[in-house]
Amino acid sequence: MPLYINFNGEIIPEDSVLLTIANRAFRYGDGLFESMRVMKGKLKFPELHAERLQKGMKALKIDGYSQADSWFLKEKVEELARRNKIKHGRLRLTVYRDAEGLYTPTQNKMAYSLEIQPIDEPRYFLNERGLIMDVYTELPKPLNWLSNIKTCNSLIYVMAGIYKQQNKLDDVFLLNQNRFLCEANSSNLFVWYQNHLYTPALSEGCVEGVMRRVVIQLALDNNIPVTEAQINPEILNQADEVFLTNATKGIQWVMGYGVKRYFNRISKTLIDELNKL
């Protein structure tokens, strides 16, 4: 039995035929998306997701961003979770420009789709087996104001994912155009080095992750010093711990990079604090 999705406010089966060949998200990647987590039927961090969504829509000049607030997200997410009888799940909200035209759109109207997939976990769990990773160097991420937005133009991540798969890795580190650490394939990145936690600054081109913000605040609240910085990938050979963060998985610790092996003390501490929120 297929799951249901929300397509522009209408609850319909997920296998419904909906988009035309002229859809701008398909043609040009003209849109953005938000990955979220529902637990016990409730959306996690709705205010932070709404803030990021509105900021991205405003930057892309998509009308209706003021309507995409935390009330809108909670209502739509929790309604869809109930309809699908899902208490714990991951969601993707895709917002795109509903317009005709070539590169230049005829209007800036908002359209959206909301999808949900069930997961068994009622809380965030730290991965038992640490991730094995390498640096992806074939396609650096450009630095501009679009770099912090989760746009529908995701070819860098697709190519990095193919590299990961071909090299039998769990994930990869992405570099920016200046060859400094940026993020992982679908996560933000944190490095524990000389009793200090570092994460690439937004100016380094990483996505402005919701879980990134949550973890930075959790670290500060627990007297763990944090700096948003420009990070040379050479630090990976000297760091004591490396972990990744995103809204659906929470925190995932990295076990190995080349011959280097890492601990997971800080990530264990932070995921325990995360589950208290």
Side-chain angles (χ1 to χ4, degrees), residues 131-225:
L131 307 177
I132 300 297
M133 298 183 61
D134 201 352
V135 176
Y136 175 64
T137 60
E138 295 176 357
L139 193 61
K141 189 175 182 183
L143 292 174
N144 56 53
W145 56 269
L146 288 174
S147 303
N148 304 138
I149 302 172
K150 295 184 73 172
T151 72
C152 293
N153 186 344
S154 303
L155 275 176
I156 290 175
Y157 305 107
V158 171
M159 300 311 296
I162 292 172
Y163 176 89
K164 174 188 73 172
Q165 184 181 56
Q166 290 177 339
N167 290 275
K168 296 179 173 56
L169 299 165
D170 296 312
D171 210 323
V172 289
F173 301 108
L174 302 186
L175 304 179
N176 63 28
Q177 67 188 42
N178 297 323
R179 300 290 170 170
F180 290 102
L181 286 174
C182 180
E183 57 198 359
N185 198 33
S186 60
S187 308
N188 288 111
L189 163 67
F190 287 81
V191 178
W192 180 246
Y193 173 69
Q194 293 187 348
N195 296 315
H196 198 105
L197 193 59
Y198 294 92
T199 190
L202 295 179
S203 58
E204 296 303 300
C206 63
V207 166
E208 189 175 1
V210 164
M211 190 57 66
R212 175 184 182 274
R213 289 182 60 180
V214 171
V215 167
I216 287 173
Q217 191 58 54
L218 281 176
L220 295 174
D221 291 345
N222 285 273
N223 299 313
I224 298 172

Side-chain angles (χ1 to χ4, degrees), residues 8 11 57 76 106 124 130 152 155 164 168 194 209 245-246:
N8 291 319
I11 306 297
M57 290 176 63
K76 301 304 180 186
T106 56
Y124 296 105
C152 293
L155 275 176
K164 174 188 73 172
K168 296 179 173 56
Q194 293 187 348
T245 65
N246 65 37

